[in-house]
């Protein structure tokens, strides 16, 4: 536990991120942890990401981490069903110094929005949404990502249940199937990280 706490506190969040996190808590949302946010920023920076898709805007916590890792001028396309949450996220992004042109905020169901996005254009796709939709999001990501692009799924450990064959609740079963499918698919080069609720990261094969 001490090691986990150290990891989560390794990169401190500033006042803007703390505010976004507090507002998320007030709405009953569970954003990614600071440790997971640092991973997202790292991946966006390592991939020199210019075009990123986020599924699950929330109040802007993960989006802000992504924007801070993306190249200057890059655009974050963020999708969520809740327009009120997105209005808060928009204000958070602006208060952090990002121009409105740096984000494309789309209100709607991800599985209906993703087919409207361009093939092979995106450098990174982050999914933090209803686990039941994950399989469809993975299919969409395979089409949308450029070769060498990165897919990141939050919640991949399902509260520690994903590796427990006895756990048979619908969401754990769905996550287990997605984790296995990505691990076994030649289209992906995957790794499972224990940050936050588990981040499944996979690079699209070139």
């Amino acid at each position: 536990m001490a090691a986990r706490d150290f990891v989560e506190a390794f990169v401190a969040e500033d006042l803007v991120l703390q505010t976004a996190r507090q507002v998320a808590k007030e709405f009953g949302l569970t954003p990614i942890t600071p440790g997971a946010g640092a991973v997202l920023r790292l991946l966006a920076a390592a991939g020199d990401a210019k075009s990123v898709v986020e599924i699950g805007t929330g109040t802007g916590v993960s989006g802000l981490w992504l924007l801070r890792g993306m190249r200057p001028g890059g655009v974050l396309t963020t999708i969520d069903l809740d327009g009120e949450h997105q209005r808060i996220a928009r204000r958070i992004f602006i208060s952090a110094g990002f121009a409105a042109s740096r984000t494309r905020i789309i209100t709607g169901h991800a599985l209906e929005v993703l087919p409207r996005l361009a093939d092979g254009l995106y450098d990174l796709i982050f999914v933090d949404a209803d686990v039941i939709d994950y399989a469809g999001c993975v299919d969409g990501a395979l089409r949308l990502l450029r070769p060498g692009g990165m897919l990141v799924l939050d919640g991949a450990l399902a509260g520690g249940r994903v590796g427990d064959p006895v756990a048979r609740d619908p969401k754990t079963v769905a996550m287990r199937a997605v984790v296995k499918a990505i691990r076994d698919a030649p289209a992906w080069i995957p790794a499972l990280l224990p940050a936050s609720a588990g981040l499944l990261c996979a690079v699209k094969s070139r």
Side-chain angles (χ1 to χ4, degrees):
M1 182 62 69
R4 178 182 175 85
D5 291 344
F6 181 78
V7 168
E8 289 298 336
F10 181 69
V11 178
E13 292 189 324
D14 64 7
L15 182 59
V16 180
L17 272 167
Q18 291 172 23
T19 300
R21 187 174 297 282
Q22 178 59 37
V23 174
K25 182 179 179 180
E26 293 170 3
F27 274 98
L29 304 176
T30 304
I32 60 167
T33 65
V39 171
L40 290 182
R41 184 180 64 172
L42 174 72
L43 294 175
D48 194 26
K50 180 180 180 181
S51 298
V52 174
V53 173
E54 175 189 46
I55 300 171
T57 310
T59 58
V61 175
S62 53
L64 191 50
W65 278 109
L66 287 164
L67 283 164
R68 288 177 170 174
M70 294 167 63
R71 71 164 74 171
V75 175
L76 172 70
T77 298
T78 183
I79 305 165
D80 200 292
L81 282 168
D82 196 306
E84 183 177 3
H85 296 165
Q86 289 184 317
R87 284 189 289 275
I88 293 168
R90 187 188 300 276
R91 293 198 295 270
I92 289 290
F93 298 149
I94 291 173
S95 67
F98 293 100
S101 60
R102 293 290 310 278
T103 58
R104 179 170 58 155
I105 298 176
I106 303 174
T107 305
H109 189 273
L111 298 186
E112 297 175 357
V113 174
L114 293 179
R116 306 203 302 264
L117 303 183
D119 293 4
L121 178 65
Y122 297 93
D123 303 302
L124 190 154
I125 295 176
F126 173 60
V127 183
D128 182 10
D130 190 334
V131 171
I132 301 301
D133 291 339
Y134 270 33
C137 291
V138 171
D139 290 342
L142 190 59
R143 178 181 61 81
L144 296 174
L145 285 169
R146 62 169 173 79
M150 171 78 70
L151 170 66
V152 183
L153 303 180
D154 188 43
L157 293 177
R161 298 183 304 277
V162 75
D164 180 2
V166 176
R168 302 298 299 173
D169 61 280
K171 292 194 174 184
T172 299
V173 170
M175 181 59 80
R176 185 181 295 128
V178 168
V179 169
K180 183 178 185 301
I182 291 177
R183 183 194 65 191
D184 296 343
W188 298 108
I189 302 170
L192 184 56
L193 307 182
S196 187
L199 295 178
L200 178 57
C201 306
V203 172
K204 180 178 174 179
S205 299
R206 295 182 183 276

